[in-house]
Amino acid sequence: MIIAEVGLDMGQFPTAAHLVSWARLSPRTIQSGTKQRTGATGKGNPYLKGVLGEAAAAAAKTDTFLGERYRRLVKRRGKLKALVAVARSILVIVWHLLADPTARYHDLGSDFYASRIDTDRKTRTHIRQLQALGFTVTLTPAA
């Protein structure tokens, strides 16, 4: 269904951002002075948005990178905004696959974000914060 709506020729969309903007899945920022708020993404192609919404809802239930992305975003932004963000990610993946015929999809895995945490840096940061609050910290190795 996505290919039926977008087509196979990605020459009309120079970048993935152009396709996302055409589908009206890119977030808008409304700013007046120092106040900022987010705006509606717009109407776009209702059939494409519907299919991407269904795909995003299905991806949210899986143990993949997109499922973990949904679960991370839903904590901060809410369910609907997280679904739109995952739908946008799916559309970017589709653009890359259609723009480069040699490209293959490789899932980053649900532990993509967790595996990139620098534990030493996190430890130093927490120690510094506790010391700033007036605590004395003594480190003992874990058993």
Side-chain angles (χ1 to χ4, degrees):
M1 186 78 171
I2 295 172
I3 292 175
E5 294 298 328
V6 175
L8 290 174
D9 180 27
M10 290 295 111
Q12 58 189 345
F13 304 111
T15 64
H18 284 86
L19 176 59
V20 169
S21 178
W22 176 79
R24 298 288 190 260
L25 285 173
S26 54
R28 290 185 348 153
T29 302
I30 300 170
Q31 181 176 355
S32 175
T34 58
K35 294 186 179 188
Q36 280 188 347
R37 64 183 179 90
T38 57
T41 56
K43 297 227 187 285
N45 185 332
Y47 303 110
L48 180 61
K49 283 181 97 170
V51 168
L52 287 170
E54 286 181 32
K61 298 175 184 176
T62 62
D63 189 29
T64 59
F65 172 76
L66 291 173
E68 183 61 26
R69 178 170 168 76
Y70 171 80
R71 287 185 285 280
R72 284 173 56 99
L73 289 173
V74 79
K75 294 176 195 173
R76 298 189 316 262
R77 307 294 292 167
K79 291 180 181 178
L80 293 179
K81 288 184 181 179
L83 278 176
V84 171
V86 172
R88 180 193 177 283
S89 298
I90 291 171
L91 195 56
V92 168
I93 291 169
V94 167
W95 182 86
H96 283 285
L97 291 175
L98 292 176
D100 182 13
T102 62
R104 298 290 174 255
Y105 178 72
H106 178 271
D107 187 40
L108 297 174
S110 61
D111 63 340
F112 177 77
Y113 295 110
S115 66
R116 278 155 179 70
I117 295 174
D118 185 4
T119 54
D120 294 333
R121 181 177 179 180
K122 205 166 194 75
T123 303
R124 288 192 309 270
T125 303
H126 287 305
I127 290 170
R128 203 174 315 116
Q129 288 175 345
L130 286 170
Q131 288 172 342
L133 289 172
F135 290 97
T136 305
V137 180
T138 333
L139 293 179
T140 56

